[in-house]
Amino acid sequence: MTNLTWLWIPFTLVGAAGQVARNAMQRGLTGPLGTLGATHIRFLFGFPFAVLFLGAILFATGEHIGWPASGFVPWLLAGSLAQIAGTALMLAAMHEHSFVVTTAYLKTEAIQAAVFGFVFLADHLTGMKVAGILIATIGVVLTALRPGARGFGNLRPTLLGLFAASFMALSAVGYRGAILEVKGVSFMAAASFTLAVALLLQTLVLSAYLLARRPGVMISIFRLWKPSMFAGFMGAFASLFWFLAFALTPAANVRTLALVEVLIAQVAAHYGMKQTITRREIAGVVLILIGVGLLVAG
């Protein structure tokens, strides 16, 4: 597998592009379905595609997967539940804020992972890393400020986006931990198996909640099955490539390279959604990119 580790780079780039498309589709469904309903479509409609991906990979490789090691379930639970929370917070932020600005908030995920590592794992922070964290934080503040307003133009979407990034960082670490517990098979089989089980768990959790608390949302989801199907496919497609990258390199590397998503989101928002991107927002995004770049270089 050593000579294939470079594949995490194209895997990450494909995953980033697919994620922008999925986020845009989910954002459009937040209105009719609500935050939880739009969150659920990526799991409910993504699971069948994940099973197809797993079946295709196992057929192509001729491999068979037994039940993974004991650490698989705890890591998977951590990754799956954190992703549900992170996705719901992300969509809530996008519903109240610019698509590009929310994406910029989400890109603080790498910064927060560095802070979590320092606090909980005693990871060493160099001067360059500290500088990167400060510069990127200034970038986040710059994108959130509104002319003529005192402080943040609206604190709620800012906090939603930042907390979404926190849960996404925890999710990435959890998924990589789960993938590494699938022994004796190729990285492709391990990644696709973990994705399928994760989506099954997430589908069961959110379906049970919605059926018990908001059955009307489930009905609305199936009424909008056509756009939901596409969002589900794009979600499973993007996640497969994320998981393949996680199988080959630490989650921090993947999430750092995934910053290209900010640039892809700018293009999507400007040309696809006709959203205006101000110079201040562009400057903020640039500072976030510079800050995370210093974080990695340090």
Side-chain angles (χ1 to χ4, degrees), residues 259 270 277:
L259 288 171
H270 183 67
I277 304 172

Side-chain angles (χ1 to χ4, degrees), residues 40-190:
H40 191 34
I41 62 173
R42 69 174 293 185
F43 306 131
L44 179 64
F45 290 92
F47 172 65
F49 292 109
V51 173
L52 289 176
F53 297 154
L54 172 61
I57 290 174
L58 293 180
F59 177 78
T61 61
E63 295 178 291
H64 300 278
I65 299 178
W67 189 249
S70 59
F72 178 80
V73 172
W75 281 117
L76 187 75
L77 284 172
S80 300
L81 298 181
Q83 188 178 28
I84 290 176
T87 303
L89 289 170
M90 175 195 71
L91 291 175
M94 285 184 173
H95 188 62
E96 298 187 23
H97 216 324
S98 159
F99 183 66
V100 171
V101 174
T102 301
T103 301
Y105 293 149
L106 294 174
K107 293 305 104 182
T108 64
E109 176 186 338
I111 300 168
Q112 295 190 56
V115 175
F116 291 155
F118 176 74
V119 174
F120 298 110
L121 302 175
D123 290 342
H124 180 60
L125 283 177
T126 65
M128 188 177 292
K129 286 186 176 183
V130 173
I133 291 173
L134 293 176
I135 291 174
T137 302
I138 293 172
V140 172
V141 173
L142 187 60
T143 58
L145 286 174
R146 290 291 174 267
R150 294 182 179 179
F152 290 98
N154 189 345
L155 187 60
R156 174 181 163 84
T158 300
L159 293 178
L160 287 173
L162 294 177
F163 277 114
S166 299
F167 281 105
M168 291 299 187
L170 294 173
S171 175
V173 172
Y175 283 143
R176 173 163 168 80
I179 292 170
L180 295 178
E181 293 293 324
V182 184
K183 312 289 187 180
V185 293
S186 67
F187 76 91
M188 295 184 295

Side-chain angles (χ1 to χ4, degrees), residues 153-277:
N154 189 345
L155 187 60
R156 174 181 163 84
T158 300
L159 293 178
L160 287 173
L162 294 177
F163 277 114
S166 299
F167 281 105
M168 291 299 187
L170 294 173
S171 175
V173 172
Y175 283 143
R176 173 163 168 80
I179 292 170
L180 295 178
E181 293 293 324
V182 184
K183 312 289 187 180
V185 293
S186 67
F187 76 91
M188 295 184 295
S192 59
F193 173 78
T194 303
L195 173 62
V197 179
L199 287 178
L200 173 61
L201 173 63
Q202 291 165 325
T203 297
L204 292 175
V205 169
L206 272 183
S207 292
Y209 176 82
L210 290 174
L211 287 172
R213 301 294 297 273
R214 302 180 183 179
V217 173
M218 289 294 291
I219 296 174
S220 298
I221 287 174
F222 286 107
R223 285 176 177 170
L224 295 172
W225 66 270
K226 287 185 178 180
S228 297
M229 187 72 70
F230 178 72
F233 169 77
M234 290 307 303
F237 177 80
S239 295
L240 175 63
F241 282 90
W242 287 130
F243 279 47
L244 290 171
F246 290 150
L248 295 173
T249 193
N253 292 344
V254 177
R255 290 312 194 189
T256 300
L257 180 59
L259 288 171
V260 298
E261 183 186 342
V262 176
L263 304 178
I264 297 173
Q266 283 185 330
V267 175
H270 183 67
Y271 293 101
M273 301 177 189
K274 307 302 181 183
Q275 290 186 355
T276 301
I277 304 172

